[in-house]
Amino acid sequence: MSRKLFKTIHLWLSVPFGLIITLMCLSGAVLIFERDFGHFGQAEVKPMGCQPIEMDSILLSVSEQIPHNKKITGVTTYPDASHAYKVMLDKPAMAAVWVDQYTGKVIGEYERAKIFKLASSAHRRLFGKSKAEGAFGAKTGKLAIGITSIATVFILLSGLVIWWPQKGTWQRKLTISTKHGSYRFWFDFHCVGGFLTSIILLLCVFTGLSWSFGWYKVALYSTFDSKPPKPSLHKTPAENFPAWQIAYNGIKSVNPDEEIRIYQGEVDVVAGGFGNQQAYKTYSYDSETGRITDIIPYSEKERANHLKGWIYTLHVGSWAGWISKILYLICVLIGALLPISGYYLWIKRLIRKNQD
């Protein structure tokens, strides 16, 4: 296939989808840091040299402060002593409250920060409504993002073919000129920037498509000889608070520096560190006595569980902590500029063509 054909593919996919790609990249840049800053201003507490009160006291206190028609389904504790506990509720979806673990007082409802909520709406549904708000907006916006993601794959790959240097021209192809006018600068930026960010951008697209199309998710998991895991809802209301206390205290003593999520009969301990950021080991405990009955290390979990965590981790760029997040940020910001620079180059060429 000639380079002329790839240029045609690159141009006529970039023109209709370019602005959406820019929006996806900019919103993605915001979402990279949601886990780091999403709770800012909501979940700060002051330890004042104290130790957290017992888990059963926290559960009892919260149950008395929330509406009677709502039930506690889980608690997340954090290694940071100044981070409030997050107590999950059975309704509505994603409902939770922040609790001062040193007093048992509810300090506020969990609420996704507006900037991250807006970015997520743009990134996942093109500002369409969520399922809770209306199925039509959720489906159409999600489809638009999915189609744009597929187009992005062809845009990036065709761009690589067009850019790929002939023998002995690598240095020139990787140089951005600042001395030959704006057109030459943006042309070089478009070519070099597209090449340098292509791996990260393709990684984001290939993982992100699993949230757009069910058939793609099935195919992706099948590639690794697995099936998509069933969602773990953890909606069973909390019962026998003293058993929660016994189970939590035992697990906390051997995992003092990890994020812990305790539910009715089950506890997840997040591994953290480098690699899969959703890696966790699971403890089962007797709901009557709080005695630990089973431990499933991360290494022994089903392959689907590993894949799910890696898909998310690779998509948001958290696999190497701040190092990979900054790398992703740079790449997606350049990615946001690629369509803009492309439009600029295309319009300049059209003007020149009409002047000839």
Side-chain angles (χ1 to χ4, degrees):
M1 297 174 70
S2 66
R3 289 198 175 195
K4 185 177 181 180
L5 175 58
F6 284 106
K7 287 182 179 180
T8 301
I9 294 172
H10 190 78
L11 174 62
W12 293 112
L13 285 178
S14 299
V15 169
F17 292 108
L19 291 179
I20 302 179
I21 293 172
T22 294
L23 178 64
M24 290 168 60
C25 288
L26 291 177
S27 57
V30 174
L31 293 172
I32 288 172
F33 299 100
E34 180 171 14
R35 185 168 176 81
D36 302 288
F37 302 113
H39 301 163
F40 186 76
Q42 293 185 30
E44 287 83 12
V45 294
K46 296 180 179 179
M48 303 295 289
C50 301
Q51 292 296 318
I53 62 177
E54 295 289 355
M55 182 61 68
D56 62 339
S57 298
I58 292 174
L59 292 168
L60 180 61
S61 177
V62 173
S63 66
E64 293 173 346
Q65 296 177 69
I66 59 176
H68 294 300
N69 64 334
K70 295 185 179 182
K71 303 296 182 182
I72 297 171
T73 59
V75 181
T76 299
T77 69
Y78 303 87
D80 182 358
S82 61
H83 196 306
Y85 287 5
K86 183 180 180 181
V87 177
M88 285 76 80
L89 307 178
D90 62 340
K91 56 184 176 182
M94 306 297 292
V97 293
W98 296 112
V99 180
D100 186 332
Q101 61 269 34
Y102 304 101
T103 65
K105 182 180 178 181
V106 173
I107 60 177
E109 293 185 6
Y110 164 77
E111 185 178 3
R112 197 173 189 182
K114 291 183 178 179
I115 186 172
F116 296 114
K117 190 174 182 179
L118 180 65
S120 178
S121 175
H123 194 73
R124 301 188 66 179
R125 303 182 300 275
L126 199 60
F127 297 114
K129 295 180 179 180
S130 65
K131 287 184 179 181
E133 296 170 324
F136 178 77
K139 289 182 178 179
T140 54
K142 194 175 180 181
L143 179 62
I145 292 296
I147 293 173
T148 301
S149 298
I150 294 174
T152 303
V153 173
F154 289 99
I155 291 170
L156 289 170
L157 293 179
S158 60
L160 285 173
V161 173
I162 298 166
W163 173 87
W164 202 261
Q166 303 297 321
K167 185 177 181 181
T169 60
W170 279 92
Q171 183 175 355
R172 181 174 63 82
K173 284 284 190 176
L174 290 171
T175 301
I176 299 178
S177 173
T178 58
K179 300 179 181 179
H180 298 88
S182 59
Y183 181 89
R184 176 61 183 275
F185 170 80
W186 286 112
F187 177 82
D188 289 345
F189 172 86
H190 189 81
C191 296
V192 176
F195 168 70
L196 294 178
T197 61
S198 58
I199 294 178
I200 296 298
L201 294 178
L202 284 170
L203 192 59
C204 290
V205 172
F206 283 131
T207 52
L209 278 168
S210 64
W211 286 285
S212 294
F213 301 110
W215 58 265
Y216 179 87
K217 178 185 286 188
V218 172
L220 180 60
Y221 278 83
S222 296
T223 302
F224 296 95
D225 194 26
S226 183
K227 294 181 179 180
K230 295 181 180 180
S232 180
L233 300 178
H234 292 300
K235 285 295 184 181
T236 304
E239 297 178 355
N240 191 12
F241 295 166
W244 282 52
Q245 174 188 321
I246 294 169
Y248 176 76
N249 288 349
I251 293 170
K252 180 68 174 178
S253 65
V254 294
N255 300 278
D257 300 317
E258 307 295 349
E259 181 178 315
I260 298 175
R261 304 165 186 166
I262 181 169
Y263 311 99
Q264 181 68 16
E266 190 172 280
V267 181
D268 291 335
V269 179
V270 181
F274 288 93
N276 183 357
Q277 294 302 296
Q278 291 196 337
Y280 59 88
K281 54 186 172 182
T282 299
Y283 293 78
S284 297
Y285 67 92
D286 188 305
S287 298
E288 295 296 325
T289 64
R291 182 177 61 86
I292 303 301
T293 58
D294 192 21
I295 303 175
I296 305 177
Y298 171 68
S299 60
E300 296 180 11
K301 287 184 173 290
E302 295 182 357
R303 181 175 298 179
N305 183 281
H306 289 224
L307 289 173
K308 180 182 178 181
W310 272 112
I311 288 170
Y312 174 81
T313 299
L314 291 174
H315 186 73
V316 302
S318 58
W319 42 271
W322 281 94
I323 296 174
S324 55
K325 288 181 181 182
I326 295 299
L327 173 63
Y328 271 54
L329 176 64
I330 294 171
C331 288
V332 296
L333 289 179
I334 293 175
L337 286 173
L338 292 178
I340 305 302
S341 59
Y343 283 130
Y344 169 79
L345 297 171
W346 178 54
I347 292 171
K348 291 286 279 187
R349 287 173 183 169
L350 289 178
I351 292 174
R352 288 179 182 177
K353 186 176 181 180
N354 290 332
Q355 291 175 344
D356 293 340

